[in-house]
């Protein structure tokens, strides 16, 4: 009961601290971490023990699902090289070099535990990066690359972490045998994820209730994660595949569901982030009280790890981005490389993995060095999230980094006109249009002919669709709306088709689709 009350208190604190963070221009996750750490020193606060075995099943499914549903299968086909470089190789290299630094400079007694620490601090957080990038109007070429990196880096880090933790608990070594084990588990997870995506798609066609279909997006990641763990395949990959497959199976008529789902996951991500940072603050308080003055001995190792985390990313971005693009006249490779390095912010995945580290081995012996892992994770998070997060707006102003806004606008207009063209074609084929009064026919045609303007620019709150004259004849309005609905459904189908194409940016499609969904929602008043 005490743990349940603690969770409720942290969720309420998250809501309050989000407001405080926006007012004082500080990231609310860091404020939540500091608040929970300091709150642990209050005399009336009960001593809490967080079960590490509960952390990953609670936080990983929604974390991975929320990240993966922002992308599409086409990203794998179109950006697979960047995906491998950033989300796989960079994570592996960072984890390995951090493990080396921890083994050399930190009080860690085993190689597997050092590797677990490397996996904890390796993956940048795409949610944190996206939140800050949006505020500073970062060029799409950079945000697109960062989103690609965030698609799979958490999954890769979690796989390394789980293998390293298994070796730590069993007091064994991490050998090359993990490679075939990983490949076999990944193959099984892909099959399971595809099956779950199909099942949820079939369930959505069977269940008419909007709230129930939206709830399925929360149940599905937990269900597939638990099933994967039971059959000993990768739950991480199974969740990612499920999310991608569910997005692929989106239907044109699910406009209200998409709007509801977007709002639902925005709230869920905020609460999950606040809860994770709050639990980490409580864990930090426990470590501080347990270690006391011994924390000073952690400083050399923490400094070495922070330097390695930042240095590896800087070198990697120089080699993988600056060198190939230094002669490209359309971009400033040096400025881009600096911003990409600066955006290696750690977040929720780092906290969840640090909290999930077991406290004892299989035979009940305490794991030496666990407290150092917790402190190091918090230190890397503070270094990579607070400093870049506060300084990135100033850095963007100093660099005067210009984005390819014209290219983005052209791509947005092209998608909007593509949707408009299909909507107009569907309208022409609809024989029921001729049954409407002439003035209503003209109004419907006018709206469809200006659809690209509505989708490619900010929607007009005084759009004719809300005109009071439609309240006069309800029957005619309903028919006109139904006809428009068919045309708009065709437009949504075309956008969903475009989203699956390898040369189309999913972010732009989602932006246009959101406006089209909001437009459609006004028909169902």
């Amino acid at each position: 009961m005490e743990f349940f009350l603690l969770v409720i208190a942290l969720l309420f604190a998250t809501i309050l601290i989000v407001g405080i963070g926006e007012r004082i221009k500080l990231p609310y996750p860091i404020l939540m971490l500091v608040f929970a750490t300091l709150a642990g020193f209050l005399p009336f606060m009960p001593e809490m023990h967080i079960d590490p075995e509960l952390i990953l099943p609670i936080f990983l499914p929604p974390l991975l699902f929320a990240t993966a549903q922002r992308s599409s299968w086409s990203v794998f086909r179109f950006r697979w090289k960047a995906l491998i470089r950033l989300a796989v190789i960079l994570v592996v290299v960072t984890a390995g070099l951090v493990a080396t630094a921890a083994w050399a400079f930190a009080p860690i007694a085993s190689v597997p535990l050092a590797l677990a620490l490397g996996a904890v601090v390796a993956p940048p957080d795409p949610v944190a990066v996206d939140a800050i990038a949006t505020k500073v109007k970062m060029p799409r070429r950079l945000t697109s690359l960062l989103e690609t990196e965030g698609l799979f880096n958490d999954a890769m880090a979690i796989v390394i972490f789980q293998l390293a933790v298994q070796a730590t608990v069993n007091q064994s070594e991490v050998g090359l045998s993990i490679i075939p084990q990983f490949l076999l588990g990944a193959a099984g997870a892909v099959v399971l994820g595809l099956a779950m995506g199909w099942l949820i798609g079939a369930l959505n066609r069977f269940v008419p209730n909007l709230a129930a279909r939206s709830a399925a997006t929360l149940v599905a990641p937990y269900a597939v994660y638990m099933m994967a763990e039971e059959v000993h395949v990768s739950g991480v990959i199974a969740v990612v595949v499920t999310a991608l497959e569910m997005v692929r199976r989106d239907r044109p008529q699910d406009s209200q569901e998409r709007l509801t789902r977007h709002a639902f996951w925005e709230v869920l991500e905020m609460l999950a982030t606040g809860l994770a940072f709050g639990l980490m603050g409580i864990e930090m308080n426990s470590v501080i009280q347990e270690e006391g003055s011994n924390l000073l001995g952690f400083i050399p190792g923490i400094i070495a790890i922070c330097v390695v985390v930042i240095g590896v990313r800087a070198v990697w971005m120089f080699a993988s981005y600056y060198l190939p693009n230094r002669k490209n006249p359309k971009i400033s490779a040096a400025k881009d490389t600096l911003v990409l390095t600066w955006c290696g912010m750690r977040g929720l995945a780092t906290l969840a993995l640090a909290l999930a580290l077991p406290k004892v081995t299989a035979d009940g012996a305490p794991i030496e060095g666990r407290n150092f892992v917790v402190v190091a994770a918090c230190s890397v998070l503070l270094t990579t999230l607070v400093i870049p997060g506060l300084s990135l707006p100033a850095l963007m102003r100093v660099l005067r980094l210009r984005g390819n806004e014209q290219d983005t606008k052209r791509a947005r207009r092209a998608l909007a006109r593509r949707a408009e063209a299909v909507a107009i074609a569907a309208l022409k084929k609809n024989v029921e249009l001729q049954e409407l009064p002439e003035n209503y026919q003209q109004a419907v045609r006018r709206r469809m002919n200006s659809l690209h303007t509505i989708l490619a620019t900010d929607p007009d709150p005084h759009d004719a669709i809300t005109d009071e004259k439609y309240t006069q004849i309800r029957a005619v309005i309903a028919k006109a709306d139904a006809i428009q609905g068919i045309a708009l459904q065709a437009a949504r189908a075309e956008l969903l088709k475009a989203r699956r194409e390898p040369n189309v940016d999913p972010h732009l499609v989602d932006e246009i689709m959101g406006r089209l969904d909001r437009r459609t929602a006004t028909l169902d008043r």
Side-chain angles (χ1 to χ4, degrees):
M1 180 59 73
E2 285 186 346
F3 182 76
F4 178 74
L5 293 175
L6 173 66
V7 168
I8 297 299
L10 290 176
L11 293 178
F12 269 107
T14 298
I15 298 169
L16 176 63
I17 289 176
V18 165
I20 295 174
E22 289 185 355
R23 289 178 179 273
I24 64 177
K25 309 299 182 184
L26 285 175
Y28 80 89
I30 296 301
L31 295 178
M32 194 69 193
L33 178 65
V34 174
F35 164 79
T37 303
L38 296 178
F41 289 104
L42 297 176
F44 57 82
M45 283 292 292
E47 184 178 352
M48 292 290 178
H49 297 284
I50 302 169
D51 187 353
E53 293 184 359
L54 295 178
I55 298 300
L56 292 186
I58 289 175
F59 287 104
L60 280 194
L63 166 66
L64 295 167
F65 189 88
T67 302
Q69 70 177 347
R70 297 189 182 96
S71 189
S72 68
W73 285 116
S74 64
V75 171
F76 281 92
R77 298 194 300 270
F78 187 60
R79 301 174 184 168
W80 65 271
K81 292 181 180 178
L83 193 66
I84 292 175
R85 286 198 310 268
L86 298 175
V88 178
I89 300 178
L90 178 56
V91 168
V92 173
V93 171
T94 302
L97 292 179
V98 167
T100 302
W103 179 254
F105 296 99
I108 289 183
S110 69
V111 173
L113 184 60
L115 185 59
L117 171 58
V120 167
V121 301
D125 182 12
V127 177
V129 173
D130 185 63
I132 296 175
T134 302
K135 294 179 181 178
V136 300
K137 297 181 179 180
M138 188 180 294
R140 269 302 298 169
R141 65 175 180 272
L142 300 183
T143 55
S144 177
L145 188 62
L146 292 169
E147 288 168 358
T148 301
E149 178 185 12
L151 176 63
F152 205 66
N153 60 0
D154 287 347
M156 192 67 217
I158 292 164
V159 169
I160 297 173
F161 175 83
Q162 289 175 328
L163 294 173
V165 166
Q166 183 179 2
T168 301
V169 171
N170 296 329
Q171 297 178 300
S172 59
E173 296 296 328
V174 180
L176 294 178
S177 61
I178 67 171
I179 297 177
Q181 178 184 350
F182 167 73
L183 294 177
L184 184 62
V190 169
V191 173
L192 188 59
L194 291 173
M196 180 59 71
W198 176 87
L199 178 62
I200 296 299
L203 187 65
N204 284 342
R205 289 190 295 272
F206 177 76
V207 177
N209 186 276
L210 174 63
R213 294 202 305 269
S214 298
T217 63
L218 177 61
V219 176
Y222 281 107
V224 77
Y225 182 85
M226 296 299 182
M227 291 168 61
E229 293 297 310
E230 284 295 318
V231 297
H232 304 292
V233 299
S234 175
V236 172
I237 296 176
V239 172
V240 172
V241 172
T242 299
L244 293 172
E245 185 65 10
M246 287 176 63
V247 171
R248 188 186 73 82
R249 291 175 174 273
D250 258 354
R251 300 179 301 174
Q253 62 266 36
D254 293 337
S255 56
Q256 283 192 327
E257 181 181 336
R258 278 188 292 271
L259 293 173
T260 304
R261 189 171 63 207
H262 176 77
F264 171 77
W265 277 96
E266 190 174 6
V267 172
L268 184 64
E269 279 189 82
M270 182 193 72
L271 293 177
T273 300
L275 180 59
F277 275 79
L279 292 175
M280 191 63 172
I282 292 172
E283 187 73 8
M284 271 294 294
N285 177 274
S286 175
V287 169
I288 291 171
Q289 296 193 45
E290 184 177 333
E291 294 290 339
S293 60
N294 293 335
L295 290 173
L296 296 176
F298 292 176
I299 294 177
I302 289 173
I303 293 175
I305 289 168
C306 290
V307 169
V308 168
V309 167
I310 297 172
V312 169
R313 184 172 182 84
V315 172
W316 196 267
M317 289 302 173
F318 176 82
S320 65
Y321 188 87
Y322 174 77
L323 293 180
N325 293 292
R326 65 187 185 280
K327 296 181 180 180
N328 189 339
K330 296 182 179 180
I331 64 175
S332 175
K335 293 179 180 179
D336 285 5
T337 301
L338 179 58
V339 172
L340 290 171
T341 301
W342 214 241
C343 288
M345 305 165 191
R346 272 55 177 177
L348 186 55
T350 293
L351 290 188
L353 294 180
L355 287 170
L357 188 63
K359 297 182 179 181
V360 296
T361 63
D363 57 9
I367 295 178
E368 282 188 50
R370 183 187 184 277
N371 285 349
F372 175 81
V373 172
V374 173
V375 176
C378 282
S379 301
V380 170
L381 189 142
L382 290 169
T383 303
T384 60
L385 182 59
V386 176
I387 298 175
L390 296 179
S391 60
L392 187 59
L395 179 65
M396 295 292 290
R397 288 194 297 268
V398 170
L399 294 178
R400 296 181 180 178
L401 196 61
R402 294 177 179 265
N404 50 349
E405 295 182 7
Q406 294 303 319
D407 292 343
T408 301
K409 288 180 180 178
R410 280 193 292 270
R412 185 182 290 113
R413 285 197 297 269
L415 285 169
R417 288 192 178 277
R418 181 173 170 178
E420 179 191 76
V422 175
I424 292 173
L427 190 65
K428 290 178 179 178
K429 294 178 182 179
N430 197 321
V431 296
E432 293 185 355
L433 178 65
Q434 307 302 322
E435 300 175 7
L436 293 176
E438 182 62 28
N439 59 331
Y440 283 95
Q441 291 185 36
Q442 293 178 0
V444 172
R445 291 192 184 99
R446 187 168 57 250
R447 292 185 205 117
M448 292 302 105
N449 286 324
S450 62
L451 185 60
H452 74 276
T453 303
I454 296 168
L455 298 179
T457 59
D458 290 334
D460 184 359
H462 303 294
D463 200 323
I465 200 170
T466 59
D467 201 291
E468 293 181 0
K469 66 181 180 180
Y470 288 109
T471 61
Q472 300 172 4
I473 310 175
R474 292 291 180 183
V476 178
I477 292 174
K479 193 168 187 178
D481 286 353
I483 293 171
Q484 291 179 80
I486 294 172
L488 293 175
Q489 182 170 323
R492 290 194 299 273
E494 185 66 16
L495 287 176
L496 290 174
K497 178 182 176 182
R499 198 181 193 279
R500 293 190 286 269
E501 296 174 2
N503 61 338
V504 174
D505 188 344
H507 179 85
L508 288 180
V509 177
D510 290 345
E511 181 182 329
I512 300 296
M513 181 68 79
R515 292 177 179 180
L516 188 56
D517 285 343
R518 288 190 290 275
R519 174 76 172 179
T520 304
T522 62
L523 299 177
D524 300 323
R525 56 196 182 281

